């Protein structure tokens, strides 16, 4: 199990400071909306925020750097930073992320390496990112699953452009519901997946609103060199903030996290700040600015060292 460290920082700054926040003043969102959303967080969650640096989660790919889809936002680039399952040892890791490239139907072919994965999972927790596998496969891997991470897309045009697949939100929702019958599932939404433009993110929120989701993880498009979306810009801070605020009010009891996949630099710093102001419950690899805002809002910081889906 990963360790947790508690860090409490206090400040005399009150929560009703949105009109004095320079970053928020750059956005076309009324201060009152920020205050109301923060009240939702206060009413439904303790004064705690989770900050994770997942150095104890080993990222494992069952396909090496191969992927049949060559997705517009990834192009297999991120698989290069994972450990091929046939080489992974897991030394020192308390958990593993089991992922990899997809086949032509959007499924990660985990079945061909199940014995090796089961061996890696001995004494460790496993977070599985398996794409749109069917129920028979889900039943087979379920004894080895601690949590499933499922990317959900709410716009069919986006799915076609990014993945080259003919799928709708209904397909993702059916997969989500099926998986939940066998294991805990944490949905993920990539903000601005379609070349930095929002298309269908709120449709996913609406679908999840009906399902009493315990946790939802947001990630944000990173325009990546060598991919079809290398020329794109990440979504605007205005759009990201509005989606965070919508999510907090639509899903008042859900733990909302900002995951590790998001742009770096000043954009990352500002997104982290806005995520806390909007009432999110956790951030992976937070910036120092995030720590400072947490202190200003009198939040108790809980540090974790594994993937946020395993918190």
């Amino acid at each position: 199990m990963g360790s947790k460290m508690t860090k409490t920082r206090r400040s005399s700054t009150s929560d009703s400071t949105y009109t004095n926040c320079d970053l928020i003043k750059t956005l076309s969102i009324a201060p009152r909306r920020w205050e109301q959303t923060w009240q939702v967080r206060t009413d439904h969650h303790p004064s705690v925020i989770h900050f994770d640096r997942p150095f104890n989660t080993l990222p494992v790919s069952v396909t090496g750097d191969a992927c049949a889809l060559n997705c517009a936002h990834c192009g297999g680039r991120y698989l290069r930073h994972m450990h091929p399952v046939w080489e992974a040892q897991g030394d020192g890791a308390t958990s593993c992320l089991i992922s990899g490239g997809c086949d032509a139907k959007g499924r990660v072919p985990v079945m061909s390496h199940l014995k090796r994965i089961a061996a890696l999972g001995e004494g460790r927790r496993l977070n599985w990112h398996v794409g749109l596998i069917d129920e028979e496969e889900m039943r087979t891997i379920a004894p080895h699953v601690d949590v499933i991470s499922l990317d959900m897309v709410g716009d069919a045009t986006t799915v076609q452009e990014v993945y080259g697949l003919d799928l709708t939100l209904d397909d993702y929702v059916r997969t989500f519901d099926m998986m939940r019958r066998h294991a805990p599932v944490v949905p993920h939404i990539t903000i601005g997946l379609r070349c930095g433009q929002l298309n269908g993110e709120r449709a996913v929120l609406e679908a999840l609103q009906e399902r009493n989701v315990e946790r939802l993880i947001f990630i944000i498009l990173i325009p990546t060199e060598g991919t079809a979306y290398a020329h794109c810009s990440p979504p605007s801070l205005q759009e990201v903030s509005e989606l965070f605020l919508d999510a907090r009010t639509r899903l008042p009891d859900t733990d909302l996290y900002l995951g590790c996949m998001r742009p770096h630099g000043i954009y990352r710093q500002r997104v982290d700040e806005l995520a806390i102001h909007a009432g999110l419950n956790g951030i992976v690899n937070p910036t120092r600015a995030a720590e400072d805002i947490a202190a200003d809002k009198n939040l108790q910081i809980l540090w974790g060292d594994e993937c946020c889906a395993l918190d």
Side-chain angles (χ1 to χ4, degrees), residues 98 108-114 117-118 126-131 133-148 179 182-183:
I98 306 300
V108 177
V110 292
M111 297 298 293
S112 57
H113 296 283
L114 188 55
I117 296 169
L126 299 183
N127 172 21
W128 295 65
H129 180 262
V130 294
I133 63 173
D134 60 31
E135 189 156 20
E136 181 179 354
E137 293 172 307
M138 186 64 222
R139 286 195 191 97
T140 303
I141 69 170
H144 310 287
V145 170
D146 289 283
V147 67
I148 294 281
M179 289 177 165
H182 302 279

Side-chain angles (χ1 to χ4, degrees), residues 2-143:
S3 62
K4 284 287 181 183
M5 295 176 289
T6 302
K7 182 179 181 182
T8 305
R9 301 173 67 189
R10 293 292 176 182
S11 169
S12 60
T13 305
S14 68
D15 292 333
S16 58
T17 58
Y18 294 103
T19 55
N20 297 321
C21 178
D22 290 339
L23 177 56
I24 286 178
K25 286 193 291 186
T26 67
L27 306 176
S28 300
I29 302 173
R32 182 61 178 161
R33 186 178 179 198
W34 292 97
E35 293 166 1
Q36 291 173 336
T37 304
W38 185 257
Q39 189 61 52
V40 172
R41 190 204 199 281
T42 300
D43 291 344
H44 293 262
H45 299 270
S47 297
V48 167
I49 191 159
H50 295 263
F51 285 162
D52 296 314
R53 300 200 188 279
F55 52 81
N56 272 330
T57 297
L58 183 74
V60 177
S61 171
V62 299
T63 63
D65 61 2
C67 180
L69 297 183
N70 191 33
C71 304
H73 68 307
C74 173
R77 288 339 188 244
Y78 293 99
L79 295 173
R80 299 174 184 175
H81 305 291
M82 305 185 75
H83 299 265
V85 68
W86 49 87
E87 298 177 1
Q89 298 299 318
D91 294 343
T94 55
S95 58
C96 296
L97 168 63
I98 306 300
S99 186
C102 291
D103 64 17
K105 294 184 179 180
R107 303 171 301 189
V108 177
V110 292
M111 297 298 293
S112 57
H113 296 283
L114 188 55
K115 288 185 178 180
R116 176 62 182 149
I117 296 169
L120 270 176
E122 292 182 5
R124 301 182 182 92
R125 296 192 295 169
L126 299 183
N127 172 21
W128 295 65
H129 180 262
V130 294
L132 300 169
I133 63 173
D134 60 31
E135 189 156 20
E136 181 179 354
E137 293 172 307
M138 186 64 222
R139 286 195 191 97
T140 303
I141 69 170

